[in-house]
Amino acid sequence: MFKLDDATRHYLHHRSEVGEFFLSSDSVIPTFSTYRRVADIINQSPPEEQEAFKRLSYTVGGMMVFSGNRIGGKSTINGARGFHHKIKDRFDLTVECIRRHYRNEHSPLNDTLDLYRDFFVLFGNFQGYVRYFLLEDLVTDDCSAVKFFTPFEDFATSPLPASIDAYLFYRQRAVDFIEARNRRIFQSC
């Protein structure tokens, strides 16, 4: 059992025979509304649709916990995924990095994920991680691949949408994932 408390200065805390872990939560589905490069593109869609997407991204299906303690003064997982130019806070790309981490394959977040190896060991393997956090709607049935929100070219292209069509495609895939995960979380309760 991964029992959490909020008795420390960190948001969530776990201590047991398996170790001590400090976790923080955050919305993991960026709407990109704060990115100047994408603002003109996003503003081509109706404001009420933008607001609906923002609201949905802050529901439980759009939230995630990550190890929140800084190790060796380096970025946390959440910080690294937000600031890395090949990820730009995208959860589908983050999950691909985590999938590769479990397979000992390189990814843009490799160094950061290695810092938190003990956390990932808790789930055994990628399939265990996916099941624990109810991420089944973001991966194939056998957990061998991530279902990306945009066409994926091995981190070679910008994670930011470059046109209104690309943004709308991204947004619809993100909405589908959040709604499916919300249902999955509700059913698990």
Side-chain angles (χ1 to χ4, degrees), residues 5-18:
D5 65 61
D6 61 356
T8 68
R9 65 181 178 87
H10 291 276
Y11 186 63
L12 298 170
H13 172 257
H14 169 84
R15 183 188 312 227
S16 70
E17 64 280 351
V18 298

Side-chain angles (χ1 to χ4, degrees), residues 45 59 66 90 138 147:
S45 69
T59 61
F66 292 109
R90 290 230 339 241
L138 191 55
K147 297 176 184 175

Side-chain angles (χ1 to χ4, degrees), residues 26-31 33 47-64 91 149 167-168 170-185:
D26 195 13
S27 172
V28 292
I29 307 295
T31 62
S33 59
E48 59 274 8
E49 290 178 13
Q50 295 173 44
E51 186 57 35
F53 182 38
K54 188 182 289 186
R55 274 194 316 274
L56 183 64
S57 73
Y58 281 96
T59 61
V60 69
M63 304 299 278
M64 189 68 181
F91 190 53
F149 297 157
Y167 173 73
L168 294 175
Y170 161 81
R171 186 173 73 188
Q172 187 57 57
R173 296 291 299 265
V175 164
D176 292 346
F177 165 70
I178 297 168
E179 289 176 341
R181 187 166 183 239
N182 278 337
R183 286 189 299 273
R184 191 176 293 277
I185 290 168

Side-chain angles (χ1 to χ4, degrees), residues 118-164:
D118 290 348
F119 174 72
F120 291 107
V121 166
L122 292 172
F123 309 102
N125 56 30
F126 182 63
Q127 188 173 26
Y129 181 86
V130 165
R131 288 202 170 120
Y132 188 84
F133 289 108
L134 304 172
L135 302 175
E136 290 90 338
D137 300 294
L138 191 55
V139 298
T140 57
D141 289 342
D142 64 358
C143 292
S144 65
V146 171
K147 297 176 184 175
F148 296 100
F149 297 157
T150 62
F152 180 66
E153 297 179 29
D154 199 29
F155 300 105
T157 58
S158 172
L160 299 175
S163 69
I164 186 62

Side-chain angles (χ1 to χ4, degrees), residues 23-129:
L23 307 174
S24 61
S25 64
D26 195 13
S27 172
V28 292
I29 307 295
T31 62
F32 297 123
S33 59
T34 60
Y35 286 79
R36 280 189 303 231
R37 230 174 88 193
V38 185
D40 289 339
I41 293 169
I42 293 171
N43 288 334
Q44 294 176 45
S45 69
E48 59 274 8
E49 290 178 13
Q50 295 173 44
E51 186 57 35
F53 182 38
K54 188 182 289 186
R55 274 194 316 274
L56 183 64
S57 73
Y58 281 96
T59 61
V60 69
M63 304 299 278
M64 189 68 181
V65 296
F66 292 109
S67 291
N69 57 309
R70 292 175 64 111
I71 299 174
K74 308 247 170 129
S75 287
T76 62
I77 296 168
N78 201 37
R81 70 183 213 87
F83 291 111
H84 198 289
H85 71 282
K86 292 186 177 186
I87 308 296
K88 291 288 189 195
D89 230 10
R90 290 230 339 241
F91 190 53
D92 55 337
L93 299 178
T94 303
V95 171
E96 172 63 10
C97 291
I98 293 168
R99 185 189 72 79
R100 290 179 183 204
H101 175 79
Y102 277 107
R103 296 172 57 116
N104 293 314
E105 297 174 359
H106 185 74
S107 79
L109 297 180
N110 198 60
D111 293 341
T112 302
L113 297 178
D114 281 348
L115 293 173
Y116 298 95
R117 186 169 297 279
D118 290 348
F119 174 72
F120 291 107
V121 166
L122 292 172
F123 309 102
N125 56 30
F126 182 63
Q127 188 173 26
Y129 181 86

